[in-house]
Amino acid sequence: MKPAFAASRREFLRRTAALSSLGTAAPFALNLAGIGAASAQSAGDYRAIVCLFMFGGNDHNNTVIPYDTASYAAYQAARGGLALPYASLLEITPATSQGSGRRFSLPAEMTELQALFAAKKAALLGNVGPIIAPTTLADFKAQRNLPGRLFSHNDQVSTWQAFKPEGVRIGWGGRIGDLLMSQNSDATFTSISASGNAVLMSGNTVLQYQVSTSGAIRIGATTSSLFGSAKSAAAIQALGMAGGDNLLEQDHAAIVKRSYVAADKVATALAGYPATDPAFTLPTALASDSLGLQLQIVLRMMAARSTLGAKRQVFFVGIGGFDTHDDQLTRQPALLARVSKAMDYFHRGTVNLGIENQATLFTASDFGRTLASNGDGSDHAWASHHFIVGGAVKGGDAYGDLPEVRIGTAANPHPLDTGGGRYIPTTSVDQYAVTLAKWMGVPASDFNLVAPNIGNFSTPTLNFL
């Protein structure tokens, strides 16, 4: 074989191998060379993390709201018509003080999350976002050492998931999978997305396996019959797996076969855990909700973990609609109600399955939004607040920082306000990622393989797990 052909064939294999786990929407996530040897772990247990991504940029200012009199007054003054009525708020009480007299709350529609927080099954992570190193207002003004393309949706979704703007192909969830996949007897089911292609889930070696809310996504014929004929479906499948004399044809056939085998394995595994089982029954409010249905398939995949040969898994689910430049007071409450109910449903599901302490859900979003109102909504910002839910979570507490909620002025500058209440993060996504990676079993020596900027932070891990 000539060297040039060998190289092109290797590249073809690297890129088309993604097709082994899905149909037309294949992630070509293979641009990170030399990630290093996988961490040697021995796991007799099961652990999984689930990213719940809120696409569009959730307004965290109306998700975690000041509740003490002085702080609420400052919030109300800054938000104007976007301020939520004090009487409607649901107080949460972090175990660790955020400053003398400071109190916090959730909006009225997040009753389930309030209950999880009170039961110490949910924790709050404050003012988190993508930063390369600890960043000051002076750094921002000098445009020094900042993440690329701040405040851009696509770029910040990518930066949250992969530490670089749009175009990067390897995400930190996939990197965790790379390091832990050796614990799974079938690595196909290490990284699973129920919400389409997500760069978070693609590793250097691990490929994201995409599922629909009903189960496996098949290439070619989606059922065992084609136009009512089982023979026709079988013939189409056989054609897809038929190799030719050309090496690329043979490799393509092997990839197609692997996809069929994976889909059959998922279908068989999930047959023992039907959606109709009481363990997976969605509450009425989520019965036809896309986020609820995504979490339902995640729970069913978790239940089938032994059949799928999985001991370490990373999952991804998503919900859109958070780009609330306008009509925010109508749109955001309905979205947050869905998120709250979905998190509660997922937690209850893990309890039903006996894996409450082995499955952790965490939220993420493009960015936060400005504290200042634009008249009918809020605009793109930077840092935001997020939640972590699960039996292993050190819940009922706040981690990171919850900055004073006000807009900086010349007379009374705010040390984090870059303008309009657009705050600089004080906790990095790297620290968020590494804390989850550590809980999954990644050793400290491999933290930099998960989060490349982690060496810039004196405290790499947080304490919510």
Side-chain angles (χ1 to χ4, degrees):
M1 183 183 296
K2 294 180 180 180
F5 180 76
S8 62
R9 179 172 176 264
R10 283 196 300 271
E11 182 63 12
F12 172 83
L13 283 172
R14 293 175 69 208
R15 292 181 176 272
T16 58
L19 293 170
S20 65
S21 54
L22 59 148
T24 58
F28 295 144
L30 296 155
N31 71 330
L32 181 66
I35 195 171
S39 303
Q41 301 285 327
S42 60
D45 63 336
Y46 171 75
R47 289 197 177 184
I49 54 174
V50 182
C51 176
L52 191 168
F53 205 94
M54 298 178 284
F55 288 97
N58 177 48
D59 189 321
H60 63 293
N61 297 297
N62 275 11
T63 306
V64 179
I65 306 103
Y67 198 67
D68 60 278
T69 302
S71 298
Y72 179 81
Y75 155 84
Q76 188 177 42
R79 294 241 90 180
L82 288 186
L84 300 178
Y86 185 84
S88 71
L89 302 178
L90 307 172
E91 184 172 10
I92 56 173
T93 307
T96 303
S97 172
Q98 291 287 317
S100 179
R102 295 187 71 196
R103 298 160 67 193
F104 304 93
S105 64
L106 302 174
E109 59 273 10
M110 302 195 84
T111 54
E112 298 85 3
L113 184 56
Q114 182 198 33
L116 287 169
F117 195 89
K120 297 185 178 181
K121 303 300 181 183
L124 167 63
L125 179 59
N127 209 53
V128 58
I131 46 175
I132 295 171
T135 303
T136 66
L137 188 56
D139 292 328
F140 177 81
K141 290 178 178 179
Q143 295 292 287
R144 185 167 49 231
N145 206 26
L146 300 178
R149 302 173 195 164
L150 281 173
F151 318 128
S152 157
H153 283 292
N154 290 353
D155 293 302
Q156 292 313 297
V157 167
S158 179
T159 303
W160 256 90
Q161 296 186 23
F163 304 114
K164 289 184 179 180
E166 187 176 28
V168 67
R169 292 170 176 166
I170 307 296
W172 55 264
R175 293 170 190 242
I176 292 173
D178 284 337
L179 293 165
L180 301 178
M181 63 184 286
S182 62
Q183 297 181 29
N184 297 337
S185 60
D186 190 338
T188 305
F189 307 109
T190 302
S191 177
I192 300 173
S193 173
S195 187
N197 187 32
V199 68
L200 175 76
M201 307 298 286
S202 296
N204 186 55
T205 303
V206 159
L207 306 172
Q208 58 175 303
Y209 184 83
Q210 294 182 25
V211 294
S212 72
T213 56
S214 58
I217 300 173
R218 294 181 179 273
I219 60 175
T222 57
T223 66
S224 59
S225 72
L226 182 63
F227 303 116
S229 169
K231 288 185 178 179
S232 297
I236 292 293
Q237 180 172 326
L239 284 172
M241 294 187 295
D245 295 331
N246 186 285
L247 290 174
L248 293 179
E249 290 177 330
Q250 293 173 14
D251 293 333
H252 177 266
I255 291 165
V256 171
K257 181 178 181 180
R258 198 154 63 240
S259 179
Y260 276 116
V261 169
D264 287 341
K265 187 170 185 177
V266 170
T268 300
L270 292 181
Y273 303 95
T276 54
D277 189 302
F280 310 113
T281 302
L282 285 159
T284 302
L286 295 177
S288 59
D289 181 86
S290 62
L291 180 58
L293 290 166
Q294 289 173 59
L295 287 171
Q296 183 184 64
I297 193 64
V298 168
L299 286 170
R300 291 175 64 202
M301 294 289 284
M302 288 180 171
R305 62 193 180 277
S306 295
T307 306
L308 297 174
K311 289 185 177 181
R312 290 292 184 273
Q313 292 183 292
V314 181
F315 291 91
F316 184 88
V317 299
I319 175 175
F322 287 92
D323 194 17
T324 52
H325 289 284
D326 50 41
D327 201 22
Q328 179 169 310
L329 290 179
T330 300
R331 294 165 58 196
Q332 191 194 23
L335 292 167
L336 291 180
R338 292 172 61 193
V339 168
S340 179
K341 287 177 172 59
M343 288 193 291
D344 181 63
Y345 162 75
F346 177 77
H347 176 68
R348 291 176 185 272
T350 62
V351 172
N352 291 337
L353 295 177
I355 56 171
E356 175 189 2
N357 297 325
Q358 296 165 285
T360 298
L361 180 149
F362 64 98
T363 65
S365 192
D366 315 19
F367 35 61
R369 304 193 79 84
T370 55
L371 180 59
S373 169
N374 64 18
D376 195 28
S378 52
D379 298 323
H380 300 180
W382 192 354
S384 57
H385 307 321
H386 286 285
F387 291 94
I388 309 99
V389 172
V393 174
K394 297 176 183 178
D397 210 350
Y399 299 86
D401 297 313
L402 292 169
E404 184 182 358
V405 177
R406 62 179 177 82
I407 295 173
T409 64
N412 187 19
H414 191 301
L416 299 173
D417 186 11
T418 65
R422 182 185 281 122
Y423 295 160
I424 297 168
T426 46
T427 295
S428 71
V429 177
D430 295 71
Q431 291 168 293
Y432 200 6
V434 158
T435 303
L436 291 159
K438 178 183 179 182
W439 180 75
M440 287 284 283
V442 173
S445 58
D446 285 341
F447 285 171
N448 65 314
L449 299 180
V450 174
N453 304 312
I454 198 62
N456 297 331
F457 300 93
S458 59
T459 307
T461 59
L462 310 168
N463 199 36
F464 58 76
L465 284 168

